[in-house]
Every structure is written in structure tokens, then in C-alpha cells.
Amino acid sequence: VSEGSLVFTSIFSLECAFKLLVLRSAYFEESWNWFDLFSVIGSVVGIMFEQLPFLPNVGVSAVAQVIRIFRIARIFRLLKLMD
């Protein structure tokens, strides 16, 4: 697992946890929050599968990387809207 993957997964996980604590049930009212939650879960599961020695090429990590790319693209879109 690359350090970048761990850093981004950690940041997105903390963001997700913080928003869940603050918004509580209102967190689930916005579809982007659902996307964030599933992308965090997918990233964590992908990292876990990469650590299993008996599952060398499951392909879950590739899916998690694609999800992370969409999350990063979403951040750039939000920054663009702020201009």
C-alpha cells in the first residue's frame, strides 16, 4: 500500500467521521455524503485486501483507486465553484 493511498484514505475517513458526528442523521440526506461514505468504505476495504497475503490480485484496490480519483475530482470541482 502506498503512503499516498494511506494519507488520502486517512484524510477522507476523518472527514467522513467528523461530518457524521456533526450532522448525525442529516448526513444521509445529501447524495454526495453517501458517495463519500461508500468511497471511504471502499478505500478501507481495498487497503485491507491488499494486506492479505493469500489474495494477491483481487482487483479491489483498483476500484478503490478509481473511487479516490472521483473524490479528488469532486474536491477540485468544489474549489472551482468557489472562484
Side-chain angles (χ1 to χ4, degrees):
V1 179
S2 70
E3 289 181 22
S5 177
L6 289 174
V7 168
F8 277 110
T9 300
S10 299
I11 291 170
F12 291 140
S13 298
L14 288 172
E15 175 204 11
C16 184
F18 182 69
K19 286 174 78 173
L20 273 167
L21 286 172
V22 171
L23 298 174
R24 300 187 190 259
S25 63
Y27 177 85
F28 299 102
E29 294 174 5
E30 188 174 333
S31 59
W32 280 113
N33 290 336
W34 280 98
F35 176 75
D36 291 344
L37 180 65
F38 285 120
S39 63
V40 165
I41 291 170
S43 297
V44 170
V45 169
I47 289 171
M48 288 181 356
F49 274 129
E50 286 180 4
Q51 300 303 312
L52 297 175
F54 53 88
L55 294 174
N57 292 319
V58 179
V60 176
S61 63
V63 173
Q65 287 176 349
V66 169
I67 291 172
R68 280 187 223 116
I69 290 170
F70 280 119
R71 287 207 64 187
I72 293 168
R74 179 177 168 239
I75 291 170
F76 285 126
R77 185 182 68 98
L78 289 173
L79 291 175
K80 184 179 177 183
L81 290 175
M82 292 174 75
D83 284 341

